[in-house]
Amino acid sequence: MFSWNAIKSHFGEMRGYVAFSTILLLAGIVVGGTNVQLEAFMESQIKGLEQLVEMAESSNNPTLFMFGLIFLNNAIKSVLVMYLGVVLGIVPILFLLINGMVLGYLFTKLADQGANVLAIFVKGILPHGIIEIPAIIVACAYGIRFGMLSLRGAGLLVKRKPGFGAEYERFAARTVPVMILLVAALLVAAIIESTFTAWLMQDIQRSM
């Protein structure tokens, strides 16, 4: 169950959930970028991120502080969305939509201010995002799968059909190596974001 071939095979079984999670994130980006009614909510989310950046900049070692902050934030949230998805998949669905909305709103706002959005994306998102975003999508996909299993289990419980517990246990066991891989990937992403991405963004920040 913990072999590399078993993990790859299980990833194959999760393709539909990964695709659905990707669609949810993209939908959130579109909604956040096109609905001015959500401005107050989006601004509150961005303000929270800005406060964290200010904390990092005022620390004795901003790079190390930012690394720890990014890694712990992403790793903890990814584990939570994976396992809290057991409640009908609500948490991972909301997580994808809200994060997508923040991205969509932020890029729309930057474009309105005349910023070079493509440069910001290439230098500020892509270097670490190519690892971080898929990892978060996969974590949410497993959370949604947990939710679907819970929904199915409730139906079987009502019908008094046995055997669901074993299926649920097998899936839960399969998430363990996946969770370890995701945390490792997020560790790499946090290193890149707190060093290389931060370095690339210096020129853009000076020009804004």
Side-chain angles (χ1 to χ4, degrees), residues 15-30 96-97 100 137:
R15 283 179 299 183
Y17 290 93
V18 172
F20 180 63
S21 296
T22 304
I23 291 170
L24 284 176
L25 181 65
L26 294 174
I29 291 173
V30 173
L96 286 167
L97 289 174
I137 287 174

Side-chain angles (χ1 to χ4, degrees), residues 57-199:
E57 291 176 346
S58 62
S59 67
N60 294 329
N61 191 328
T63 300
L64 184 60
F65 186 95
M66 185 59 71
F67 160 73
L69 185 66
I70 293 169
F71 172 64
L72 290 175
N73 179 65
N74 288 337
I76 291 171
K77 285 183 177 178
S78 293
V79 172
L80 286 177
V81 296
M82 180 184 287
Y83 292 108
L84 290 180
V86 69
V87 187
L88 305 182
I90 295 172
V91 173
I93 288 173
L94 289 177
F95 184 81
L96 286 167
L97 289 174
I98 291 173
N99 279 274
M101 287 162 59
V102 170
L103 283 174
Y105 173 79
L106 182 60
F107 279 114
T108 299
K109 182 178 179 180
L110 290 170
D112 290 341
Q113 293 173 350
N116 189 336
V117 175
L118 179 59
I120 292 173
F121 175 77
V122 171
K123 293 184 177 182
I125 300 293
L126 196 58
H128 63 275
I130 199 170
I131 300 173
E132 180 182 302
I133 294 174
I136 290 173
I137 287 174
V138 169
C140 289
Y142 274 82
I144 294 170
R145 173 60 174 160
F146 259 125
M148 294 302 100
L149 281 174
S150 296
L151 189 62
R152 180 167 173 266
L156 292 176
L157 186 63
V158 171
K159 296 177 182 179
R160 297 183 179 180
K161 291 185 177 180
F164 171 74
E167 179 183 356
Y168 201 94
E169 185 178 342
R170 280 195 302 272
F171 181 77
R174 286 172 178 172
T175 65
V176 175
V178 174
M179 178 186 64
I180 294 171
L181 287 174
L182 292 180
V183 170
L186 291 170
L187 176 64
V188 174
I191 293 172
I192 296 172
E193 185 174 359
S194 59
T195 55
F196 187 59
T197 300
W199 175 70

